[in-house]
Amino acid sequence: MEKSIELNKVEKQKGSSYRQIMKATSIFGGVQVFNILISILRSKIMAVLLGPAGVGILGLLNTTILLISSLTNFGLGISGVKDIATAKDSNDEFRLAKTISALNRLIWLTGVAGSLITLFGAKWLSQMAFGNTEYTIAFIWLSITVLLKQLASGHFVILQGLRKLKDLAKANMIGSAIGLALSIPFYYYLGLEGIVPGLVITALATFIVALYFGKSIKKERVPLPFKELKAEGKGMMTMGFILSLSGIMVLGESYILRVFINYSGGVEEVGLYNAGIALITTYVGLLFTAMETDYYPRLASVALNNSKANELINQQTEIALLILAPVLVGLMVFIDWVIIILYSSEFLAANVMIYWAFLGLFFKVPAWVIGFIFIAKGKSKLFFWNELISNLYLLLFNILGYHYWGLEGLGISFLVSYMVYLGQVYFIASRKYRFSFQKGFSRIFGLQFIFGVLCLVGITMLNTLWMYILGVLLILLSGYFSLVELDKRLGLRQLISGFFGKK
């Protein structure tokens, strides 16, 4: 009797955990969907008004600025949230005010440093990105955006650390919408010449909105002499810097690859790659962004208990695959229409890359979820070396893939890289923290991946009509399987009947 009661408690806890994952994913997913819609609209407008060349130029400018920001922001967006949340939970108002004051100072220092580096290095950045100095003036103007983005991120960090998630969501949505509305006239009237003003006005809009929501928080100002600032900010800067190096590596890999594509295939090929990778990492990647907000703090709270961490990682991976798999299969079937809607028919050449990369996302999901355990346990050096090695072979595979097979080779390299990466993080986590996949994950991954492979086979071997027939069947099968499995974990039928019962 006692055993059955205990089992019921465990099952209820599991169901509650699954529902918490789903709830957080749906809430923050909604915010991401709005931002993605804004991004889609922006991409469509730029594709029509600027063409592949304009999208390529924008991609190189954005990647360069992101690289500079990552080199100079010391990962305050990661460590700052943790420190503020910890200070808040201590219920010590003075400690919280002191932490926020230290963060604000550090944000200003790093923002100004990044802006000055961009300003005085504009000529070199233009030569490095485009192989000439024609974009020197562009980078001089874009130095403003480096400062504005860092200042805006400071307000976002405080909102997230204090768990003002509604305000954070509003700030993100409003900033994105206003930035798009203000930048469209520049693209319409100035064409390629409007790219830089559009980027500056977008950064300014984001900063003003972030400032507005940041000012709504009552903060006690605490004067901090340099010695106290150094003592208060040392831990924040040290941890953040080590973790931010991984972000720099990702941007560095992305930057080197875009420059390689530009030199080998031209700026239009960069535009096609940008369009494809945006679909893969931005639009589909909204699931990762939505999950991260809730998943990371939850994992950190149980990180010292390997058994609980193991269970949470499996639960998070299962929910992510069940949500994402039918979407991936659907996108593979209708990718040509998706590209035309989001961009234009000029970008259809990117579809061969996207097919293979979508299969790679089946491996990226579990690898991404497992990888958080290194940060949650505070193993920042392990996380750094893990990311360094993976980015090195990702760059190598990408260069080889593009050199021999063009855009399709980049999709294949994405798939191979994440197959290797999943094996890498699983090996480390299993050896160090006794991590293992549960049977539920293996069944979900195996069947959904088979649906994806069959979809790719149908696309490459069947004519259009039979491809769509097979594709729709696979979408239905994948979706049905996901609904059945989600119902087992969440009690969907019970939730739906309860919802309508209340009505």
Side-chain angles (χ1 to χ4, degrees):
M1 185 72 176
E2 290 182 0
K3 285 185 177 179
S4 63
I5 294 172
E6 202 62 36
L7 285 171
N8 284 333
K9 284 184 179 179
V10 171
E11 289 301 316
K12 284 183 179 180
Q13 287 175 352
K14 280 188 176 180
S16 177
S17 181
Y18 278 119
R19 283 191 286 273
Q20 173 61 29
I21 293 169
M22 192 68 179
K23 181 181 177 182
T25 302
S26 60
I27 291 173
F28 296 109
V31 176
Q32 291 305 312
V33 167
F34 178 85
N35 288 334
I36 291 302
L37 290 174
I38 294 294
S39 181
I40 289 171
L41 186 57
R42 182 187 293 110
S43 297
K44 180 67 176 179
I45 291 168
M46 290 188 300
V48 173
L49 298 179
L50 306 178
V55 175
I57 292 169
L58 180 67
L60 286 169
L61 290 173
N62 261 332
T63 307
T64 307
I65 293 304
L66 282 172
L67 182 61
I68 295 297
S69 296
S70 296
L71 285 168
T72 57
N73 66 18
F74 282 84
L76 293 173
I78 304 170
S79 58
V81 171
K82 176 181 174 295
D83 282 24
I84 290 174
T86 302
K88 178 180 181 294
D89 290 340
S90 71
N91 294 318
D92 186 338
E93 291 296 325
F94 179 76
R95 180 186 171 187
L96 176 61
K98 194 174 180 181
T99 302
I100 291 175
S101 295
L103 175 68
N104 283 331
R105 294 273 193 89
L106 295 173
I107 287 289
W108 266 101
L109 288 172
T110 53
V112 170
S115 183
L116 291 175
I117 288 172
T118 307
L119 177 65
F120 292 108
K123 185 176 181 180
W124 179 76
L125 291 173
S126 176
Q127 184 67 46
M128 184 173 62
F130 296 93
N132 55 60
T133 58
E134 292 179 16
Y135 292 88
T136 301
I137 299 299
F139 281 111
I140 289 174
W141 278 106
L142 290 175
S143 65
I144 300 170
T145 68
V146 176
L147 175 60
L148 291 175
K149 285 182 177 181
Q150 182 68 344
L151 294 179
S153 75
H155 293 292
F156 291 147
V157 166
I158 295 170
L159 289 171
Q160 188 176 354
L162 295 176
R163 300 187 184 98
K164 304 286 185 180
L165 298 181
K166 288 185 178 179
D167 286 342
L168 180 62
K170 289 177 184 177
N172 274 294
M173 291 191 293
I174 295 172
S176 297
I178 294 176
L180 174 63
L182 293 176
S183 63
I184 289 174
F186 291 101
Y187 300 136
Y188 182 79
Y189 290 108
L190 300 178
L192 296 179
E193 296 295 324
I195 291 175
V196 173
L199 290 173
V200 173
I201 201 71
T202 299
L204 180 61
T206 302
F207 166 69
I208 292 173
V209 172
L211 179 65
Y212 172 79
F213 282 95
K215 290 291 185 183
S216 65
I217 299 172
K218 294 180 179 180
K219 302 184 289 286
E220 180 187 347
R221 291 190 176 184
V222 178
L224 283 178
F226 180 75
K227 285 185 178 180
E228 285 191 43
L229 176 63
K230 186 178 178 181
E232 187 70 26
K234 184 179 179 181
M236 204 184 299
M237 295 280 281
T238 302
M239 177 187 172
F241 178 69
I242 292 174
L243 293 177
S244 70
L245 288 177
S246 64
I248 294 170
M249 288 185 291
V250 172
L251 288 172
E253 184 276 330
S254 175
Y255 182 77
I256 293 170
L257 179 59
R258 281 175 170 84
V259 172
F260 177 78
I261 295 171
N262 186 35
Y263 284 141
S264 301
V267 73
E268 289 196 3
E269 285 279 287
V270 178
L272 292 171
Y273 171 74
N274 283 342
I277 208 68
L279 265 170
I280 297 160
T281 61
T282 304
Y283 304 136
V284 178
L286 69 88
L287 176 66
F288 296 98
T289 307
M291 288 193 303
E292 181 182 347
T293 308
D294 174 69
Y295 171 59
Y296 172 54
R298 291 187 71 209
L299 182 61
S301 67
V302 298
L304 296 178
N305 187 320
N306 286 337
S307 177
K308 289 184 178 180
N310 190 339
E311 186 176 10
L312 180 57
I313 291 170
N314 274 278
Q315 290 174 349
Q316 188 76 47
T317 308
E318 289 171 16
I319 294 294
L321 281 174
L322 290 171
I323 295 172
L324 187 61
V327 175
L328 291 177
V329 175
L331 286 173
M332 288 177 74
V333 175
F334 298 105
I335 193 61
D336 286 354
W337 291 105
V338 172
I339 291 173
I340 291 170
I341 292 169
L342 296 182
Y343 299 98
S344 72
S345 58
E346 293 181 88
F347 291 82
L348 285 173
N351 62 5
V352 291
M353 177 183 82
I354 296 169
Y355 294 140
W356 290 98
F358 277 170
L359 289 182
L361 286 174
F362 283 96
F363 293 90
K364 181 177 179 178
V365 168
W368 180 86
V369 176
I370 295 171
F372 267 96
I373 192 64
F374 307 142
I375 309 174
K377 285 182 174 289
K379 305 297 183 182
S380 53
K381 289 184 179 179
L382 174 60
F383 178 78
F384 167 76
W385 287 109
N386 178 65
E387 293 300 300
L388 175 62
I389 293 169
S390 63
N391 276 282
L392 287 174
Y393 61 68
L394 175 60
L395 178 60
L396 176 63
F397 292 161
N398 278 333
I399 290 175
L400 290 174
Y402 184 75
H403 178 73
Y404 288 106
W405 301 290
L407 290 172
E408 185 173 13
L410 290 173
I412 295 171
S413 68
F414 187 94
L415 169 60
V416 173
S417 295
Y418 277 103
M419 290 174 69
V420 176
Y421 184 62
L422 175 57
Q424 176 180 309
V425 294
Y426 180 82
F427 176 79
I428 297 171
S430 62
R431 286 297 182 92
K432 283 187 166 291
Y433 313 121
R434 298 180 182 177
F435 172 78
S436 63
F437 284 124
Q438 296 171 356
K439 289 182 180 179
F441 162 79
S442 302
R443 185 177 67 256
I444 293 167
F445 177 86
L447 192 56
Q448 294 286 24
F449 185 66
I450 288 172
F451 290 146
V453 171
L454 289 175
C455 190
L456 179 60
V457 171
I459 290 168
T460 55
M461 297 186 67
L462 300 177
N463 62 43
T464 304
L465 177 61
W466 285 106
M467 183 273 289
Y468 280 123
I469 292 173
L470 175 64
V472 171
L473 177 62
L474 290 170
I475 293 169
L476 292 174
L477 288 172
S478 178
Y480 177 75
F481 177 73
S482 284
L483 283 174
V484 170
E485 293 297 321
L486 284 171
D487 183 47
K488 290 178 183 177
R489 291 158 175 77
L490 306 173
L492 287 179
R493 294 177 188 178
Q494 186 180 355
L495 289 174
I496 292 170
S497 62
F499 175 78
F500 285 105
K502 289 180 181 179
K503 295 286 184 180

